[in-house]
Amino acid sequence: DTLPPQITSSRDSCGIKVIAIEDIPNNDSEIETFDILRMDNCKIEVLERTKKTIKIKIELIDFAKNGYYSFKVIDKSNNTTIVDDSLLGNFSTLVQFYPSPDFFVGDTLFGDILCKDITVRNFATDTIVISHLFFRQNINFSVPPGQLPLTIPGQDSAKLKICFSAMRPIGGVIRDTLTFFESCYFAQLRVSALLDTGYWDARSNCNVEIRAKSAFEGSKQIISVSAPFPEKILIRIDGKQDDAIATIKLFNIFGSQIEHVETANNIIEINTFGLAQGTYFIRIAISDSFYYWKMLVR
């Protein structure tokens, strides 16, 4: 017998690695010795052991630092297998956005919506489920909520759509940061888009918002959003054609849709009773025009 014990499986997940080692079944030898050679910032535990197999768990102690370990497995024929490896303390390498670290969505005109795909890669051996994604400013950029949760098998990748809504008065380059943080996985991506400064946004001091294009091709609706009564939002649309349908959607800060209303009325009430405290976003679509508001529920 000259064949050493073989690694049959290795699973790495969130600071824990499980390694299975087996002596070749068709020889007469058996596993005789298991010796730990090194344990830096990690602990080693034998989970299972038979004559032919041994399963070892290596667990990180301080998640802010890397861990290093080595051990050897010797069979009765004195054949030796040495495992010398490390555990990463920074889990930002296990999930990554591509292209990285910067992604340019593109350039667009005021009033338009532009969406492009990025790739999310899972370098871990476990399946990762992305349920929530966050933008630092959460104004112009968004991830369509229908994409979440996004399931990515181990050592695989998936596409994710990022959208830019040119609905703000700021011209030039618009920037934000997309962040994923869940369990022990962390990833960030800097995103940017270019807004044509020839298009503009006007706003009055009376809670009335007017949007138009500099070529006067924009919408003529005048929309006001107010809360005149407790637990109710009142939306008034002036200048809309009688048969035009307004689609109103209410989202929470995580991008989950809370309310969806489609109506031809010029005055719409949305009940906010039962909403948890926090920030919400209202999206109103009329024909090819889009309007956005941020709302704080106390």
Side-chain angles (χ1 to χ4, degrees), residues 80 105 133 205 225:
T80 303
V105 179
L133 290 164
N205 295 323
V225 177

Side-chain angles (χ1 to χ4, degrees), residues 18-249:
V18 178
I19 300 174
I21 297 178
E22 181 179 0
D23 208 20
I24 304 302
N26 60 0
N27 64 40
D28 296 329
S29 184
E30 299 174 358
I31 292 177
E32 184 175 50
T33 305
F34 168 72
D35 291 327
I36 297 173
L37 305 177
R38 182 186 184 188
M39 282 193 304
D40 293 345
N41 190 37
C42 57
K43 55 184 178 181
I44 298 176
E45 176 187 357
V46 176
L47 298 179
E48 297 177 12
R49 183 166 179 175
T50 66
K51 289 183 178 181
K52 290 283 188 180
T53 64
I54 185 170
K55 184 179 288 186
I56 303 129
K57 181 176 79 170
I58 307 98
E59 186 173 357
L60 201 62
I61 297 174
D62 184 353
F63 279 58
K65 303 175 183 178
N66 292 341
Y68 302 91
Y69 65 90
S70 62
F71 58 82
K72 62 181 178 181
V73 178
I74 307 174
D75 63 19
K76 285 189 174 180
S77 300
N78 207 34
N79 299 308
T80 303
T81 294
I82 296 178
V83 178
D84 188 357
D85 206 346
S86 62
L87 285 173
L88 295 177
N90 181 1
F91 299 104
S92 62
T93 59
L94 295 180
V95 178
Q96 294 184 15
F97 297 118
Y98 285 88
S100 181
D102 299 284
F103 176 62
F104 180 63
V105 179
D107 55 274
T108 184
L109 304 176
F110 175 77
D112 294 339
I113 296 179
L114 180 65
C115 296
K116 286 189 178 180
D117 287 337
I118 64 170
T119 300
V120 187
R121 293 183 180 176
N122 175 14
F123 290 94
T125 54
D126 285 353
T127 296
I128 292 176
V129 179
I130 298 179
S131 301
H132 303 298
L133 290 164
F134 306 92
F135 283 98
R136 180 177 297 172
Q137 299 183 59
N138 203 22
I139 299 176
N140 298 94
F141 294 93
S142 64
V143 172
Q147 297 182 103
L148 302 179
L150 181 66
T151 301
I152 311 176
Q155 307 289 317
D156 205 347
S157 62
K159 295 294 185 181
L160 180 71
K161 194 175 296 296
I162 293 180
C163 295
F164 173 74
S165 302
M167 300 295 171
R168 296 296 166 187
I170 303 173
V173 178
I174 314 296
R175 295 182 174 86
D176 208 334
T177 301
L178 176 67
T179 300
F180 165 60
F181 179 72
E182 193 166 312
S183 184
C184 59
Y185 301 109
F186 175 80
Q188 278 192 326
L189 178 67
R190 296 191 297 264
V191 295
S192 62
L194 179 63
L195 176 59
D196 188 336
T197 55
Y199 288 70
W200 52 275
D201 180 0
R203 195 184 304 263
S204 80
N205 295 323
C206 304
N207 197 30
V208 177
E209 191 164 350
I210 306 170
R211 286 197 164 88
K213 293 184 178 181
S214 57
F216 301 100
E217 297 173 353
S219 67
K220 297 180 177 60
Q221 289 87 16
I222 301 175
I223 298 180
S224 65
V225 177
S226 59
F229 310 106
E231 301 174 344
K232 279 188 179 181
I233 302 172
L234 185 64
I235 300 173
R236 181 185 178 92
I237 306 174
D238 293 324
K240 180 177 73 66
Q241 294 182 2
D242 292 339
D243 58 346
I245 300 297
T247 302
I248 298 98
K249 294 183 180 181

